[in-house]
Amino acid sequence: MSQKYTELIKLGTQYARRMNYLSNRIFGEVARTTNEKSMKVCHPHQLNCSYQLWIIPCQVVRMFSEEPIHKRDYVVNWYPRHVETHLLMKNLRDYGLFRDEHQDFKDEMKRLRKLRGKAPPKKGEGKRASKK
């Protein structure tokens, strides 16, 4: 029985690869082998260190020596600060230091609707409240 299993594992089929992966996961072995690119070795003279015995994969050294993505300034501040800018412009408009023509237009339309009697009623003064 075990002989058939070992023969199946040696085959290059998708089933064999999956079963090998699962058995490695179950028995605590390396499930996915490291590819050739990340296993390129840095020699101590490339790292500017005096240790002669250390052999470290270059890709890993480069990856851990870089600043994490979530701490990079250009990633964190990629988009403009729309909310803060909007609040600032709103406050400046209230002080009279900034003129927002679109908001002025909307306010004027609201005022004209109210003059014509088309504005929405205040809370508690609608059709349903007048029926009672």
Side-chain angles (χ1 to χ4, degrees):
M1 179 74 178
S2 64
Q3 210 170 21
K4 281 187 177 181
Y5 178 72
T6 54
E7 289 174 12
L8 281 174
I9 290 296
K10 289 178 184 174
L11 292 176
T13 62
Q14 188 176 5
Y15 172 78
R17 279 186 271 123
R18 283 185 175 176
M19 291 305 293
N20 194 17
Y21 172 76
L22 284 173
S23 70
N24 288 343
R25 289 281 307 267
I26 291 169
F27 296 114
E29 298 172 9
V30 176
R32 294 185 188 175
T33 57
T34 311
N35 61 2
E36 294 296 321
K37 183 181 177 187
S38 63
M39 285 305 289
K40 288 182 182 173
V41 175
C42 281
H43 295 287
H45 68 275
Q46 290 175 331
L47 296 174
N48 295 327
C49 69
S50 60
Y51 300 108
Q52 305 278 314
L53 301 174
W54 286 22
I55 298 175
I56 304 168
C58 283
Q59 191 82 9
V60 176
V61 170
R62 193 178 311 114
M63 185 173 65
F64 283 109
S65 66
E66 291 176 353
E67 188 178 18
I69 292 177
H70 67 277
K71 290 189 176 182
R72 294 181 190 168
D73 191 45
Y74 73 89
V75 173
V76 174
N77 299 322
W78 184 263
Y79 294 105
R81 301 179 70 106
H82 290 295
V83 175
E84 292 85 351
T85 307
H86 171 72
L87 292 174
L88 175 68
M89 292 301 166
K90 189 176 173 185
N91 287 337
L92 289 175
R93 183 175 180 266
D94 293 342
Y95 294 142
L97 299 174
F98 175 73
R99 179 144 188 173
D100 187 358
E101 293 182 11
H102 182 63
Q103 191 64 39
D104 292 344
F105 176 78
K106 290 196 298 189
D107 291 345
E108 183 65 17
M109 289 294 115
K110 206 179 276 187
R111 187 183 71 82
L112 292 175
R113 279 181 62 87
K114 195 169 190 174
L115 285 175
R116 292 187 312 222
K118 300 287 186 177
K122 293 180 182 174
K123 190 167 179 124
E125 296 180 1
K127 290 181 186 178
R128 190 164 179 228
S130 62
K131 285 183 183 178
K132 291 182 180 179

